[in-house]
Amino acid sequence: MDAIQPASEIFDSLSKLGLTQNESRIFLYLAQNPGSNGYEISKNTGISRSLVYGALEKMRAGGVIELTQTKSSSYLLKPLPEIRDTVNHGIGQAFDELERQLADMKPLPADELFVTIQDRMQQRAKLAYMIKNAKKMLFISAGINELEWIHKDLQQVPPFVAVHIFSLSKLSDFPPHFQLHSKGMEESFIQSLGNLKARWRILMIKDRSEMMLCGGDEQHSGTAIYTKNNMMVTFATEHFVHDVKISNIERNYNISDYTENLFNEYSPENSCGESEKR
């Protein structure tokens, strides 16, 4: 029988659980051949017997597999829900111990740092973490397409957290306790504006203590900046409140906004055009 070559997707998942390459191959072999012994696993995976037995013992101690006596020293995978509970319990214990060990340390203040996040999945994870851990308020400025990125996370925000969302786009399908500040523009109209076309941005302020700004030319590229810098958080908060205030004044007094026209001549496209004319 040919050696087992795990599919890359499954291998990646097992690697994230802390399994080595050999342990992952053994895991997959036992998933297909429960009740195999060390000799059979070694023969059919191509892993040496000494490495197989070492990996099996480690996996058994880690709560991934169990020993059965239906045959001499044969092994079974535990059910996935049981493995999940074991892993979660172990991670919880490790974090409890880590918190205890770090409790007496006094790190230098880090509130002045600006963290740059390039990876899209890490940006998404950071925003989700901020939403999940908000205690008092969330201020969010974004378009409807950008809000789709975090929509599921926002649905889980408890009512005691004040959520204010400002957007040029029409907003709908948010919990009733959210405060929505929408300028009611159609997405097609927003994308027709030179300075906004194919651009995206999410500004999130959590508890007036930290903020994150993601942006780029499209939703699949760009950079995010995260900081607890008090001056920047205050500036971003005032900017958000200002946007909401101006929008409310325009709505209440039926004021038309032509600001975009004032700055179109400074857009990159027009700047290039002026250079060519010269």
Side-chain angles (χ1 to χ4, degrees):
M1 182 176 179
D2 293 335
I4 299 293
Q5 297 297 326
S8 59
E9 296 84 359
I10 301 177
F11 188 89
D12 289 343
S13 297
L14 293 174
S15 176
K16 291 175 182 177
L17 291 177
L19 271 64
T20 66
Q21 183 177 8
N22 284 343
E23 291 165 1
S24 296
R25 292 166 65 188
I26 293 170
F27 185 103
L28 290 176
Y29 181 80
L30 287 175
Q32 296 174 311
N33 303 274
S36 298
N37 60 36
Y39 169 78
E40 293 167 334
I41 295 171
S42 173
K43 177 182 177 181
N44 293 308
T45 61
I47 305 171
S48 70
R49 292 180 67 178
S50 60
L51 292 177
V52 163
Y53 284 114
L56 287 170
E57 182 55 31
K58 181 182 173 184
M59 293 168 72
R60 189 177 70 84
V64 176
I65 63 175
E66 49 196 356
L67 186 65
T68 175
Q69 294 301 326
T70 54
K71 293 194 296 183
S72 176
S73 299
S74 58
Y75 297 87
L76 290 171
L77 287 179
K78 288 186 176 181
L80 285 181
E82 186 175 349
I83 295 175
R84 179 196 291 268
D85 287 345
T86 300
V87 170
N88 288 341
H89 179 70
I91 291 174
Q93 285 187 322
F95 271 105
D96 290 343
E97 182 66 16
L98 186 60
E99 286 182 343
R100 186 189 65 78
Q101 293 169 344
L102 295 178
D104 296 331
M105 291 187 180
K106 296 181 179 179
L108 296 174
D111 60 343
E112 297 298 316
L113 297 178
F114 291 80
V115 179
T116 302
I117 306 174
Q118 297 282 359
D119 182 78
R120 267 291 176 265
M121 294 303 294
Q122 292 184 19
Q123 293 174 16
R124 164 73 179 77
K126 190 69 170 180
L127 289 170
Y129 183 80
M130 292 173 68
I131 293 171
K132 181 179 179 181
N133 289 277
K135 303 300 183 184
K136 295 181 178 179
M137 50 72 61
L138 285 168
F139 291 168
I140 303 169
S141 178
I144 192 63
N145 290 332
E146 292 86 339
L147 288 169
E148 281 297 320
W149 210 31
I150 54 175
H151 190 270
K152 290 183 179 179
D153 302 291
L154 290 173
Q155 299 294 328
Q156 306 301 316
V157 176
F160 61 79
V161 176
V163 180
H164 290 261
I165 300 177
F166 174 81
S167 181
L168 299 179
S169 308
K170 291 182 178 180
L171 298 177
S172 61
D173 193 27
F174 287 97
H177 60 277
F178 281 23
Q179 296 292 319
L180 305 180
H181 312 280
S182 168
K183 298 197 74 169
M185 296 181 183
E186 296 290 346
E187 198 64 25
S188 58
F189 177 74
I190 294 173
Q191 288 301 313
S192 71
L193 299 176
N195 287 337
L196 298 177
K197 187 175 183 181
R199 310 258 174 104
W200 77 290
R201 185 195 70 167
I202 302 176
L203 169 65
M204 182 181 295
I205 304 162
K206 169 184 168 286
D207 295 332
R208 292 180 179 259
S209 61
E210 56 189 285
M211 61 164 284
M212 184 166 170
L213 177 63
C214 304
D217 292 333
E218 56 183 30
Q219 287 190 325
H220 304 293
S221 66
T223 301
I225 296 176
Y226 168 84
T227 186
K228 292 183 178 181
N229 179 280
N230 184 65
M231 182 181 71
M232 289 303 301
V233 173
T234 300
F235 178 81
T237 301
E238 292 177 352
H239 175 79
F240 179 89
V241 173
H242 179 268
D243 280 348
V244 173
K245 181 181 291 187
I246 295 300
S247 179
N248 287 336
I249 291 173
E250 291 172 351
R251 182 184 300 107
N252 292 334
Y253 292 95
N254 196 26
I255 299 174
S256 298
D257 179 22
Y258 300 103
T259 306
E260 186 71 24
N261 296 333
L262 297 176
F263 297 98
N264 271 338
E265 62 180 296
Y266 305 112
S267 66
E269 295 84 355
N270 288 335
S271 296
C272 292
E274 291 296 323
S275 299
E276 290 175 359
K277 289 178 182 179
R278 294 193 187 101

